[in-house]
Amino acid sequence: MSDSSHLLGLLIGTEEDWPTAFEALVRRLGTVTDGLDNTHRFDVERITIEPFDLRSEPRHDLVIDRLAYWYYHPREWLKKVALTDDVYLLNSPFTFQSMEKHAAYCAMMRLGLHVPDTVLVPFKNPPEHAKYAFTASRYNRPFDLDAVAERLGYPLYMKPYDGGAWVGVSRIKNSADLHRAYDESGQRLMHLQQAVDGYDVFARSLSIGAETMVMNFDPDQPMHGRYSVSHDFLDAATGDEAVTIGRLVNAFFRWEFNSCETLVKDGVVHPIDYANACPDVALTSLHYYFPWAIKALVKWSAFCTTTGRRPRYDLDTRRYFDIADRPDLDYGEKLAAYRALGDQYFETERYQDFCASRLAHFDEAALEWFAGSEFDRLLVETVRSTFPAHEHDHFVAHYRGLVGLWVRDETARLDG
């Protein structure tokens, strides 16, 4: 028997709510025993950005990255610790950098998912490069933007090929909207994507490791009102398909902390945005679902480090494409095969057994914290740092009510 200590690193920007909650729950995790009766203890550290030697040995066993998608210095540190030290990363900096939304669309279209028709259009303004004008005059073919849009059909959306957080996304209803949005896009490459108009449900799936929460989402609401507490808004088959798509995307790209947006219309599930490997986990937006997200992060971190799960930064795309290319399989059969590959990658059964046998105490410990004064202080501080002063009382009551509902539901679940 041995006693191991694991340091979990948080690479974060301005966020304070979920890191504080994560740290508190890790402290309550206590000692975890593996299948060989070895004991494992955990600590958390917020990682600082500084010069690093390419031969230095990192102290962290696992790092949750919420910064490198836009801040390149830590991204290169993540690549270093992945390549030279086998540090477990949520998420892979390699696919996150190279497999942006455009590549994700291409891959999932190849796999047969119902992604709306999408066209990549050249940037409106030329890059600032001395050779551009000469090259463009010889090789850039003129195109008719209106013709592209008319072929897709209005309404449609224009959005950055690599964007996130709804930045630069425009709903296009006519030619005037089209040209206005294109003029404003500047030097950004943009997608034109067919709208799934008149959809029945907008579902957003947050996946953390082998767990997925599918939530009823309304993008037209302010952030605090976008997620509804709705448990039966999808039938069982559609809900399972949404989980399968999320798990497929994540296993394919080696993303273990990601969200997937899908539109459901007439029983067909259309993935529209699923390269979000730095997903929203703010208390002020997730509210009722915030405890689930933090618990899932802690459990997945404990599972990976305790079991010695090896990070995988190589991709098995051919295994997926071999399924996609089989003419003898229909859509449902392909989805089932993708789900099997996803569950294999995430070791879903092993993870579930680990949580049941090694973390049996954790649900009660987490419930006690979310129901207590320490979390309430975090809630109040988060509201005060997010909303104007005249709205503090309203939103403190609002979030206390929503998290209080989760506490009641979780208490009933554990008592049952």
Side-chain angles (χ1 to χ4, degrees):
M1 295 188 296
S2 64
D3 187 2
S4 301
S5 296
H6 304 284
L7 182 59
L8 311 177
L10 303 182
L11 189 57
I12 55 180
T14 61
E15 303 160 299
E16 188 62 38
D17 52 356
W18 79 261
T20 300
F22 182 87
E23 291 161 344
L25 292 194
V26 168
R27 289 195 297 270
R28 283 157 178 76
L29 192 59
T31 301
V32 176
T33 305
D34 63 24
L36 300 175
D37 289 332
N38 300 310
T39 58
H40 299 261
R41 305 175 190 278
F42 306 88
D43 198 3
V44 187
E45 177 182 80
R46 301 191 185 194
I47 298 173
T48 58
I49 309 303
E50 53 201 34
F52 62 89
D53 189 319
L54 272 61
R55 286 193 170 90
S56 64
E57 293 187 10
R59 297 177 297 108
H60 307 88
D61 296 290
L62 178 146
V63 174
I64 300 173
D65 167 38
R66 302 281 296 176
L67 183 61
Y69 70 104
W70 63 268
Y71 193 2
Y72 298 158
H73 183 271
R75 179 189 291 177
E76 300 312 307
W77 179 78
L78 290 171
K79 291 177 184 177
K80 172 262 183 292
V81 299
L83 290 171
T84 66
D85 306 290
D86 278 341
V87 173
Y88 205 100
L89 304 179
L90 278 62
N91 287 298
S92 165
F94 306 106
T95 53
F96 199 9
Q97 181 173 358
S98 62
M99 300 290 191
E100 63 323 73
K101 294 182 187 297
H102 176 74
Y105 283 144
C106 295
M108 294 303 112
M109 287 179 177
R110 170 74 183 274
L111 297 187
L113 300 189
H114 302 297
V115 179
D117 289 345
T118 307
V119 173
L120 182 72
V121 296
F123 31 68
K124 171 66 177 181
N125 298 332
E128 297 175 359
H129 194 287
K131 295 182 179 180
Y132 174 79
F134 176 76
T135 303
S137 67
R138 295 188 63 179
Y139 300 110
N140 282 29
R141 296 178 59 184
F143 72 100
D144 187 336
L145 183 64
D146 284 294
V148 173
E150 289 167 7
R151 181 174 67 80
L152 289 171
Y154 294 106
L156 49 84
Y157 285 89
M158 181 179 288
K159 49 188 177 180
Y161 85 108
D162 61 346
W166 293 77
V167 175
V169 177
S170 302
R171 181 174 170 85
I172 309 297
K173 295 177 291 186
N174 50 46
S175 179
D177 289 346
L178 176 71
H179 286 277
R180 184 183 308 111
Y182 190 50
D183 289 344
E184 293 173 354
S185 66
Q187 292 186 350
R188 300 191 74 171
L189 285 174
M190 304 296 283
H191 280 137
L192 286 176
Q193 187 171 81
Q194 189 178 59
V196 183
D197 225 26
Y199 60 82
D200 303 310
V201 178
F202 192 132
R204 187 165 191 159
S205 309
L206 176 60
S207 292
I208 299 170
E211 294 194 48
T212 298
M213 180 65 70
V214 184
M215 296 168 284
N216 198 345
F217 189 73
D218 185 351
D220 295 327
Q221 295 296 318
M223 186 57 72
H224 66 269
R226 289 183 179 176
Y227 294 94
S228 299
V229 181
S230 178
H231 302 305
D232 299 311
F233 67 99
L234 294 175
D235 62 68
T238 305
D240 188 65
E241 183 174 346
V243 172
T244 296
I245 290 172
R247 195 158 297 167
L248 161 62
V249 168
N250 295 345
F252 186 94
F253 292 111
R254 308 311 195 214
W255 296 334
E256 305 190 2
F257 188 12
N258 186 41
S259 65
C260 178
E261 295 175 359
T262 52
L263 301 178
V264 182
K265 181 178 180 180
D266 299 329
V268 179
V269 181
H270 301 272
I272 61 166
D273 189 356
Y274 41 87
N276 300 301
C278 188
D280 174 26
V281 285
L283 168 60
T284 50
S285 53
L286 288 188
H287 48 77
Y288 177 90
Y289 300 102
F290 181 78
W292 169 84
I294 307 307
K295 286 175 57 182
L297 267 178
V298 172
K299 289 188 291 183
W300 184 249
S301 299
F303 171 73
C304 293
T305 50
T306 298
T307 63
R309 177 176 162 88
R310 303 284 286 180
R312 289 281 304 277
Y313 303 120
D314 55 317
L315 302 181
D316 291 330
T317 55
R318 176 51 51 192
R319 298 178 69 195
Y320 294 87
F321 291 154
D322 284 345
I323 295 169
D325 295 344
R326 286 182 57 180
D328 59 314
L329 298 180
D330 63 22
Y331 176 70
E333 291 169 327
K334 290 179 181 179
L335 274 187
Y338 298 146
R339 177 65 172 265
L341 290 181
D343 284 333
Q344 180 183 24
Y345 172 73
F346 285 108
E347 302 180 276
T348 303
E349 288 189 8
R350 186 185 183 202
Y351 169 75
Q352 292 171 343
D353 177 74
F354 176 84
C355 292
S357 62
R358 306 298 167 182
L359 302 180
H361 65 290
F362 182 63
D363 284 344
E364 289 283 0
L367 174 60
E368 180 181 4
W369 187 77
F370 281 111
S373 59
E374 187 178 338
F375 172 73
D376 190 67
R377 283 194 298 274
L378 174 62
L379 184 153
V380 172
E381 291 169 2
T382 301
V383 166
R384 288 176 176 171
S385 65
T386 305
F387 297 98
H390 69 278
E391 295 182 340
H392 287 175
D393 289 345
H394 167 76
F395 279 110
V396 166
H398 175 75
Y399 289 114
R400 278 175 174 167
L402 287 166
V403 178
L405 177 60
W406 177 86
V407 168
R408 290 193 294 274
D409 288 348
E410 182 72 354
T411 300
R413 183 184 73 86
L414 295 178
D415 288 346

Short mmCIF file of all heavy atoms in Angstrom, two decimals, residues 207 209-212 240 243-252 254 300 303 309 319-320 335-352:
data_model
loop_
_atom_site.label_atom_id
_atom_site.label_comp_id
_atom_site.label_asym_id
_atom_site.label_seq_id
_atom_site.Cartn_x
_atom_site.Cartn_y
_atom_site.Cartn_z
N SER A 207 -20.73 18.79 -20.91
CA SER A 207 -20.09 17.50 -20.63
C SER A 207 -18.80 17.72 -19.86
O SER A 207 -17.99 18.57 -20.22
CB SER A 207 -19.78 16.75 -21.93
OG SER A 207 -20.97 16.34 -22.58
N GLY A 209 -15.94 15.08 -18.50
CA GLY A 209 -15.55 13.69 -18.44
C GLY A 209 -16.66 12.80 -18.96
O GLY A 209 -17.19 13.00 -20.05
N ALA A 210 -17.03 11.81 -18.17
CA ALA A 210 -18.03 10.84 -18.58
C ALA A 210 -19.45 11.26 -18.20
O ALA A 210 -20.38 10.45 -18.34
CB ALA A 210 -17.72 9.48 -17.96
N GLU A 211 -19.64 12.47 -17.75
CA GLU A 211 -20.97 12.94 -17.37
C GLU A 211 -21.44 14.04 -18.32
O GLU A 211 -20.63 14.86 -18.79
CB GLU A 211 -20.98 13.48 -15.94
CG GLU A 211 -20.71 12.42 -14.88
CD GLU A 211 -21.06 12.92 -13.49
OE1 GLU A 211 -22.16 13.49 -13.32
OE2 GLU A 211 -20.22 12.76 -12.59
N THR A 212 -22.74 14.08 -18.58
CA THR A 212 -23.33 15.10 -19.43
C THR A 212 -24.65 15.56 -18.84
O THR A 212 -25.47 14.73 -18.41
CB THR A 212 -23.59 14.57 -20.86
OG1 THR A 212 -22.34 14.19 -21.46
CG2 THR A 212 -24.25 15.63 -21.74
N ASP A 240 -31.20 11.02 -25.16
CA ASP A 240 -30.07 10.11 -25.29
C ASP A 240 -29.23 10.46 -26.52
O ASP A 240 -28.00 10.38 -26.48
CB ASP A 240 -30.57 8.67 -25.39
CG ASP A 240 -29.43 7.66 -25.34
OD1 ASP A 240 -28.76 7.57 -24.30
OD2 ASP A 240 -29.21 6.96 -26.35
N VAL A 243 -27.02 13.39 -25.64
CA VAL A 243 -25.86 12.94 -24.85
C VAL A 243 -24.84 12.25 -25.74
O VAL A 243 -23.63 12.48 -25.63
CB VAL A 243 -26.32 11.99 -23.73
CG1 VAL A 243 -25.12 11.35 -23.03
CG2 VAL A 243 -27.17 12.74 -22.70
N THR A 244 -25.32 11.41 -26.65
CA THR A 244 -24.43 10.70 -27.55
C THR A 244 -23.63 11.66 -28.42
O THR A 244 -22.41 11.48 -28.62
CB THR A 244 -25.23 9.73 -28.45
OG1 THR A 244 -25.83 8.73 -27.63
CG2 THR A 244 -24.33 9.06 -29.48
N ILE A 245 -24.28 12.68 -28.96
CA ILE A 245 -23.59 13.64 -29.81
C ILE A 245 -22.50 14.36 -29.00
O ILE A 245 -21.37 14.53 -29.48
CB ILE A 245 -24.58 14.63 -30.43
CG1 ILE A 245 -25.45 13.92 -31.47
CG2 ILE A 245 -23.85 15.82 -31.07
CD1 ILE A 245 -26.59 14.76 -32.00
N GLY A 246 -22.84 14.79 -27.79
CA GLY A 246 -21.85 15.45 -26.96
C GLY A 246 -20.67 14.55 -26.66
O GLY A 246 -19.50 14.97 -26.73
N ARG A 247 -20.93 13.29 -26.33
CA ARG A 247 -19.85 12.36 -26.00
C ARG A 247 -19.01 12.05 -27.23
O ARG A 247 -17.78 11.90 -27.16
CB ARG A 247 -20.42 11.09 -25.38
CG ARG A 247 -19.37 10.23 -24.68
CD ARG A 247 -20.00 9.32 -23.67
NE ARG A 247 -20.65 10.09 -22.61
CZ ARG A 247 -21.50 9.58 -21.71
NH1 ARG A 247 -21.79 8.28 -21.76
NH2 ARG A 247 -22.05 10.33 -20.80
N LEU A 248 -19.67 11.94 -28.39
CA LEU A 248 -18.97 11.70 -29.65
C LEU A 248 -18.01 12.84 -29.95
O LEU A 248 -16.83 12.62 -30.25
CB LEU A 248 -19.98 11.55 -30.78
CG LEU A 248 -19.48 11.74 -32.22
CD1 LEU A 248 -18.42 10.70 -32.56
CD2 LEU A 248 -20.65 11.67 -33.20
N VAL A 249 -18.50 14.07 -29.89
CA VAL A 249 -17.66 15.24 -30.16
C VAL A 249 -16.45 15.26 -29.23
O VAL A 249 -15.30 15.45 -29.65
CB VAL A 249 -18.47 16.53 -30.01
CG1 VAL A 249 -17.56 17.75 -29.98
CG2 VAL A 249 -19.50 16.66 -31.14
N ASN A 250 -16.69 15.04 -27.96
CA ASN A 250 -15.63 15.14 -26.97
C ASN A 250 -14.59 14.04 -27.11
O ASN A 250 -13.38 14.29 -27.01
CB ASN A 250 -16.22 15.14 -25.57
CG ASN A 250 -17.08 16.35 -25.31
OD1 ASN A 250 -17.02 17.33 -26.06
ND2 ASN A 250 -17.88 16.31 -24.27
N ALA A 251 -15.05 12.82 -27.34
CA ALA A 251 -14.10 11.72 -27.52
C ALA A 251 -13.30 11.91 -28.82
O ALA A 251 -12.10 11.64 -28.86
CB ALA A 251 -14.83 10.39 -27.54
N PHE A 252 -13.95 12.38 -29.85
CA PHE A 252 -13.31 12.58 -31.14
C PHE A 252 -12.17 13.58 -31.04
O PHE A 252 -11.07 13.36 -31.56
CB PHE A 252 -14.34 13.04 -32.17
CG PHE A 252 -13.83 13.13 -33.58
CD1 PHE A 252 -13.98 12.07 -34.45
CD2 PHE A 252 -13.20 14.27 -34.04
CE1 PHE A 252 -13.51 12.13 -35.76
CE2 PHE A 252 -12.73 14.36 -35.34
CZ PHE A 252 -12.88 13.29 -36.21
N ARG A 254 -10.87 14.79 -28.09
CA ARG A 254 -10.18 14.71 -26.80
C ARG A 254 -10.49 15.92 -25.93
O ARG A 254 -9.63 16.44 -25.23
CB ARG A 254 -8.66 14.57 -26.96
CG ARG A 254 -8.20 13.45 -27.88
CD ARG A 254 -8.85 12.12 -27.57
NE ARG A 254 -8.15 11.00 -28.22
CZ ARG A 254 -8.75 9.91 -28.68
NH1 ARG A 254 -10.08 9.81 -28.57
NH2 ARG A 254 -8.05 8.94 -29.23
N TRP A 300 -14.34 13.84 -11.75
CA TRP A 300 -13.54 13.44 -12.91
C TRP A 300 -12.05 13.65 -12.62
O TRP A 300 -11.21 12.82 -13.00
CB TRP A 300 -13.97 14.20 -14.15
CG TRP A 300 -13.25 13.77 -15.39
CD1 TRP A 300 -12.34 14.48 -16.12
CD2 TRP A 300 -13.38 12.51 -16.08
NE1 TRP A 300 -11.89 13.75 -17.19
CE2 TRP A 300 -12.52 12.53 -17.19
CE3 TRP A 300 -14.14 11.37 -15.83
CZ2 TRP A 300 -12.40 11.46 -18.07
CZ3 TRP A 300 -14.02 10.28 -16.71
CH2 TRP A 300 -13.16 10.33 -17.81
N PHE A 303 -11.00 10.83 -10.36
CA PHE A 303 -10.95 9.57 -11.10
C PHE A 303 -9.68 9.48 -11.94
O PHE A 303 -8.97 8.46 -11.92
CB PHE A 303 -12.18 9.46 -11.99
CG PHE A 303 -12.15 8.32 -12.97
CD1 PHE A 303 -12.32 7.01 -12.55
CD2 PHE A 303 -11.94 8.55 -14.34
CE1 PHE A 303 -12.28 5.95 -13.46
CE2 PHE A 303 -11.91 7.51 -15.25
CZ PHE A 303 -12.07 6.20 -14.81
N ARG A 309 -5.27 7.25 -15.00
CA ARG A 309 -5.73 7.36 -16.38
C ARG A 309 -4.71 8.15 -17.20
O ARG A 309 -4.29 9.23 -16.80
CB ARG A 309 -7.10 8.04 -16.42
CG ARG A 309 -7.66 8.28 -17.82
CD ARG A 309 -9.06 8.87 -17.73
NE ARG A 309 -9.48 9.50 -18.96
CZ ARG A 309 -10.08 8.88 -19.98
NH1 ARG A 309 -10.33 7.58 -19.88
NH2 ARG A 309 -10.45 9.53 -21.06
N ARG A 319 -11.10 5.36 -36.88
CA ARG A 319 -12.10 4.45 -36.28
C ARG A 319 -13.50 5.02 -36.45
O ARG A 319 -14.46 4.27 -36.71
CB ARG A 319 -11.80 4.23 -34.80
CG ARG A 319 -10.46 3.58 -34.50
CD ARG A 319 -10.25 3.45 -33.01
NE ARG A 319 -11.15 2.48 -32.41
CZ ARG A 319 -11.38 2.39 -31.09
NH1 ARG A 319 -10.78 3.23 -30.26
NH2 ARG A 319 -12.19 1.48 -30.63
N TYR A 320 -13.63 6.32 -36.33
CA TYR A 320 -14.93 6.96 -36.49
C TYR A 320 -15.32 7.01 -37.97
O TYR A 320 -16.48 6.76 -38.33
CB TYR A 320 -14.89 8.37 -35.90
CG TYR A 320 -14.71 8.39 -34.40
CD1 TYR A 320 -13.44 8.36 -33.83
CD2 TYR A 320 -15.82 8.43 -33.56
CE1 TYR A 320 -13.28 8.38 -32.45
CE2 TYR A 320 -15.66 8.45 -32.18
CZ TYR A 320 -14.39 8.42 -31.63
OH TYR A 320 -14.23 8.43 -30.27
N LEU A 335 -24.90 6.07 -34.77
CA LEU A 335 -24.86 6.75 -33.48
C LEU A 335 -24.51 5.77 -32.36
O LEU A 335 -23.73 6.10 -31.46
CB LEU A 335 -26.20 7.40 -33.18
CG LEU A 335 -26.48 8.80 -33.71
CD1 LEU A 335 -27.79 9.31 -33.14
CD2 LEU A 335 -25.35 9.77 -33.38
N ALA A 336 -25.10 4.58 -32.39
CA ALA A 336 -24.82 3.58 -31.35
C ALA A 336 -23.34 3.18 -31.37
O ALA A 336 -22.71 3.00 -30.31
CB ALA A 336 -25.70 2.36 -31.55
N ALA A 337 -22.78 3.06 -32.58
CA ALA A 337 -21.36 2.70 -32.68
C ALA A 337 -20.48 3.84 -32.19
O ALA A 337 -19.47 3.60 -31.52
CB ALA A 337 -21.03 2.35 -34.13
N TYR A 338 -20.85 5.08 -32.50
CA TYR A 338 -20.09 6.23 -31.99
C TYR A 338 -20.17 6.30 -30.48
O TYR A 338 -19.19 6.61 -29.80
CB TYR A 338 -20.63 7.54 -32.57
CG TYR A 338 -20.54 7.68 -34.07
CD1 TYR A 338 -21.54 8.38 -34.77
CD2 TYR A 338 -19.49 7.14 -34.80
CE1 TYR A 338 -21.47 8.54 -36.14
CE2 TYR A 338 -19.42 7.29 -36.17
CZ TYR A 338 -20.41 8.00 -36.85
OH TYR A 338 -20.35 8.16 -38.21
N ARG A 339 -21.35 6.02 -29.94
CA ARG A 339 -21.53 6.06 -28.48
C ARG A 339 -20.63 5.03 -27.81
O ARG A 339 -20.02 5.30 -26.76
CB ARG A 339 -22.99 5.82 -28.13
CG ARG A 339 -23.32 5.77 -26.63
CD ARG A 339 -23.09 7.13 -25.95
NE ARG A 339 -23.57 7.11 -24.59
CZ ARG A 339 -24.79 7.53 -24.22
NH1 ARG A 339 -25.63 8.02 -25.11
NH2 ARG A 339 -25.16 7.50 -22.96
N ALA A 340 -20.50 3.86 -28.44
CA ALA A 340 -19.64 2.82 -27.87
C ALA A 340 -18.19 3.29 -27.85
O ALA A 340 -17.47 3.07 -26.86
CB ALA A 340 -19.78 1.53 -28.67
N LEU A 341 -17.75 3.97 -28.92
CA LEU A 341 -16.39 4.49 -28.95
C LEU A 341 -16.20 5.58 -27.90
O LEU A 341 -15.15 5.65 -27.23
CB LEU A 341 -16.05 5.03 -30.33
CG LEU A 341 -15.88 4.03 -31.46
CD1 LEU A 341 -15.53 4.75 -32.77
CD2 LEU A 341 -14.81 3.00 -31.14
N GLY A 342 -17.21 6.43 -27.75
CA GLY A 342 -17.13 7.49 -26.75
C GLY A 342 -17.08 6.93 -25.34
O GLY A 342 -16.28 7.37 -24.51
N ASP A 343 -17.93 5.95 -25.05
CA ASP A 343 -17.92 5.35 -23.72
C ASP A 343 -16.61 4.61 -23.46
O ASP A 343 -16.12 4.58 -22.32
CB ASP A 343 -19.10 4.38 -23.58
CG ASP A 343 -20.42 5.12 -23.38
OD1 ASP A 343 -20.40 6.25 -22.86
OD2 ASP A 343 -21.47 4.56 -23.75
N GLN A 344 -16.05 4.03 -24.51
CA GLN A 344 -14.76 3.36 -24.35
C GLN A 344 -13.67 4.38 -24.01
O GLN A 344 -12.85 4.14 -23.12
CB GLN A 344 -14.41 2.62 -25.63
CG GLN A 344 -13.09 1.88 -25.59
CD GLN A 344 -12.75 1.23 -26.92
OE1 GLN A 344 -13.22 1.65 -27.97
NE2 GLN A 344 -11.93 0.21 -26.88
N TYR A 345 -13.67 5.51 -24.71
CA TYR A 345 -12.65 6.52 -24.45
C TYR A 345 -12.77 7.06 -23.03
O TYR A 345 -11.77 7.21 -22.32
CB TYR A 345 -12.76 7.67 -25.45
CG TYR A 345 -11.85 8.82 -25.11
CD1 TYR A 345 -10.46 8.72 -25.30
CD2 TYR A 345 -12.34 9.99 -24.55
CE1 TYR A 345 -9.61 9.74 -24.94
CE2 TYR A 345 -11.49 11.03 -24.19
CZ TYR A 345 -10.13 10.91 -24.39
OH TYR A 345 -9.28 11.92 -24.03
N PHE A 346 -14.00 7.36 -22.60
CA PHE A 346 -14.20 7.95 -21.28
C PHE A 346 -14.28 6.90 -20.16
O PHE A 346 -14.45 7.28 -19.00
CB PHE A 346 -15.45 8.81 -21.27
CG PHE A 346 -15.27 10.13 -21.98
CD1 PHE A 346 -15.87 10.37 -23.20
CD2 PHE A 346 -14.49 11.12 -21.43
CE1 PHE A 346 -15.69 11.57 -23.87
CE2 PHE A 346 -14.30 12.33 -22.08
CZ PHE A 346 -14.90 12.55 -23.31
N GLU A 347 -14.17 5.62 -20.51
CA GLU A 347 -14.25 4.56 -19.49
C GLU A 347 -15.49 4.76 -18.62
O GLU A 347 -15.42 4.74 -17.38
CB GLU A 347 -12.99 4.55 -18.62
CG GLU A 347 -11.70 4.36 -19.38
CD GLU A 347 -10.49 4.35 -18.46
OE1 GLU A 347 -9.99 5.45 -18.12
OE2 GLU A 347 -10.06 3.25 -18.05
N THR A 348 -16.61 4.92 -19.26
CA THR A 348 -17.83 5.33 -18.57
C THR A 348 -18.22 4.37 -17.45
O THR A 348 -18.53 4.80 -16.33
CB THR A 348 -18.98 5.48 -19.58
OG1 THR A 348 -18.59 6.42 -20.59
CG2 THR A 348 -20.23 5.96 -18.90
N GLU A 349 -18.20 3.08 -17.73
CA GLU A 349 -18.59 2.11 -16.70
C GLU A 349 -17.60 2.12 -15.53
O GLU A 349 -18.01 2.07 -14.37
CB GLU A 349 -18.69 0.71 -17.30
CG GLU A 349 -19.89 0.52 -18.22
CD GLU A 349 -20.07 -0.94 -18.63
OE1 GLU A 349 -19.35 -1.80 -18.07
OE2 GLU A 349 -20.90 -1.20 -19.50
N ARG A 350 -16.33 2.19 -15.85
CA ARG A 350 -15.32 2.22 -14.79
C ARG A 350 -15.47 3.48 -13.94
O ARG A 350 -15.33 3.44 -12.72
CB ARG A 350 -13.92 2.15 -15.41
CG ARG A 350 -12.80 2.03 -14.40
CD ARG A 350 -11.44 2.09 -15.08
NE ARG A 350 -10.35 1.91 -14.13
CZ ARG A 350 -9.11 2.33 -14.33
NH1 ARG A 350 -8.79 2.95 -15.46
NH2 ARG A 350 -8.18 2.13 -13.41
N TYR A 351 -15.75 4.60 -14.59
CA TYR A 351 -15.95 5.85 -13.86
C TYR A 351 -17.16 5.75 -12.93
O TYR A 351 -17.10 6.16 -11.76
CB TYR A 351 -16.13 7.00 -14.85
CG TYR A 351 -16.60 8.29 -14.21
CD1 TYR A 351 -15.72 9.08 -13.47
CD2 TYR A 351 -17.92 8.71 -14.33
CE1 TYR A 351 -16.15 10.26 -12.88
CE2 TYR A 351 -18.35 9.89 -13.75
CZ TYR A 351 -17.47 10.65 -13.03
OH TYR A 351 -17.90 11.82 -12.44
N GLN A 352 -18.25 5.21 -13.44
CA GLN A 352 -19.45 5.08 -12.62
C GLN A 352 -19.21 4.18 -11.42
O GLN A 352 -19.67 4.47 -10.30
CB GLN A 352 -20.61 4.55 -13.48
CG GLN A 352 -21.08 5.55 -14.54
CD GLN A 352 -22.06 4.95 -15.53
OE1 GLN A 352 -22.18 3.71 -15.64
NE2 GLN A 352 -22.76 5.79 -16.26
#
